[in-house]
């Protein structure tokens, strides 16, 4: 699989396509390395956040801070393809091009109050916040050796904290049952029984 295929598989998984998530797990498992294990857990947590829990009220309470503060959002070429197909020429002018790369500045021009106006086709980086965002998880990733990562969630991200609480409950239940840390697939299967 080339880098583009992996990115698109990840993007589809982040949108809630469980077959893509399982295919991504198949791919990452082959490496049998801490970094690939970390990636499996981080994508899983993010898939649960994006697709399984009703978190809108928490994002409303927060006011959409992740779209207001921080470095510009990277827009990869596969994101750009989707944006180009869906946005008008004027709307596309909101993207900045620098050294051949597109970005969206923050505060994001596509934010409407706390909501995203382009939610259905927002960039990969937006779908990755906060569990699969490299900037947020860099320190945890560097220290990671094994087990369930203690993901960092910014204090203002109420939705991310709720996801952690939800996942902690599932992980702890599985730890008691299995006598060890559950694998990403075991957690996924347990979550799927609930929805
Ligand atoms: S994901 Fe977190 S930071 Fe972003 S709007 Fe929701 S609660 Fe706020
Ligand atoms: S595209 Fe949407 S989710 Fe991404 S930063 Fe802008 S408003 Fe937020």
């Amino acid at each position: 699989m080339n880098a583009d295929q992996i990115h698109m598989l990840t993007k589809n998984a982040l949108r809630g396509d469980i077959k893509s998530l399982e295919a991504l797990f198949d791919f990452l498992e082959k490496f049998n390395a801490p970094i690939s294990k970390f990636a499996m857990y981080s994508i899983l947590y993010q898939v649960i956040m994006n697709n399984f829990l009703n978190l809108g009220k928490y994002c409303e309470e927060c006011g959409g801070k992740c779209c207001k503060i921080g470095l510009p959002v990277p827009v990869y070429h596969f994101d750009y393809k989707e944006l180009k197909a869906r946005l008008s020429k004027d709307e596309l002018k909101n993207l900045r091009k620098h050294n051949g790369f597109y970005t969206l500045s923050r505060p994001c021009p596509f934010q409407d109050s706390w909501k995203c106006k382009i939610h259905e086709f927002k960039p990969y980086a937006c779908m990755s916040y906060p569990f699969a965002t490299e900037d947020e998880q860099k320190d945890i990733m560097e220290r990671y050796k094994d087990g369930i990562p203690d993901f960092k969630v910014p204090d203002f991200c109420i939705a991310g904290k709720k996801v952690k609480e939800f996942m902690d409950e599932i992980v702890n239940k599985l730890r008691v049952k299995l006598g060890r840390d559950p694998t990403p697939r075991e957690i996924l299967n347990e979550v799927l029984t609930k929805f």
Side-chain angles (χ1 to χ4, degrees):
M1 244 188 297
N2 63 34
D4 273 5
Q5 287 169 320
I6 296 163
H7 272 125
M8 275 320 293
L9 203 57
T10 311
K11 196 168 179 180
N12 289 334
L14 291 170
R15 282 190 176 122
D17 178 12
I18 298 303
K19 282 202 182 339
S20 294
L21 180 62
E22 286 172 340
L24 189 64
F25 281 178
D26 289 344
F27 172 76
L28 289 168
E29 267 170 357
K30 286 185 198 144
F31 294 94
N32 196 21
I35 189 70
S36 54
K37 202 166 177 185
F38 184 93
M40 287 171 72
Y41 282 118
S42 67
I43 292 162
L44 173 66
Y45 272 56
Q46 196 62 46
V47 168
I48 305 299
M49 176 158 181
N50 295 357
N51 304 285
F52 287 84
L53 304 176
N54 197 354
L55 301 166
K57 65 180 177 192
Y58 303 117
C59 294
E60 184 174 8
E61 191 185 332
C62 149
K65 289 193 183 64
C66 53
C67 306
K68 288 189 167 76
I69 43 179
L71 296 168
V73 177
V75 176
Y76 299 107
H77 67 94
F78 50 87
D79 293 320
Y80 185 74
K81 259 194 205 166
E82 283 189 285
L83 292 171
K84 204 173 164 206
R86 304 285 291 265
L87 296 174
S88 68
K89 275 190 180 161
D90 271 356
E91 288 170 316
L92 275 173
K93 285 181 189 158
N94 286 311
L95 299 168
R96 299 269 163 273
K97 196 171 187 185
H98 186 65
N99 288 342
F101 294 99
Y102 285 102
T103 59
L104 269 174
S105 54
R106 282 190 269 191
C108 179
F110 292 118
Q111 193 179 32
D112 179 14
S113 171
W114 61 275
K115 288 185 180 172
C116 175
K117 285 194 275 191
I118 58 167
H119 179 69
E120 294 77 26
F121 49 99
K122 63 189 178 186
Y124 174 90
C126 302
M127 284 189 221
S128 306
Y129 187 88
F131 297 102
T133 301
E134 210 178 313
D135 285 352
E136 291 301 335
Q137 305 305 335
K138 195 168 172 281
D139 295 345
I140 311 292
M141 198 164 30
E142 280 171 4
R143 288 198 299 270
Y144 180 77
K145 288 192 173 59
D146 202 7
I148 318 275
D150 185 16
F151 291 110
K152 188 180 150 199
V153 176
D155 282 340
F156 56 77
C157 184
I158 312 164
K161 288 189 183 299
K162 293 288 171 192
V163 174
K164 252 191 124 175
E165 282 172 23
F166 173 82
M167 294 302 273
D168 281 352
E169 203 176 301
I170 289 184
V171 165
N172 288 335
K173 192 176 142 198
L174 286 171
R175 272 187 183 131
V176 171
K177 187 173 151 194
L178 303 167
R180 57 167 169 76
D181 279 345
T183 64
R185 282 185 201 275
E186 287 165 343
I187 301 174
L188 173 64
N189 290 339
E190 184 66 22
V191 171
L192 291 176
T193 63
K194 290 181 176 289
F195 292 90

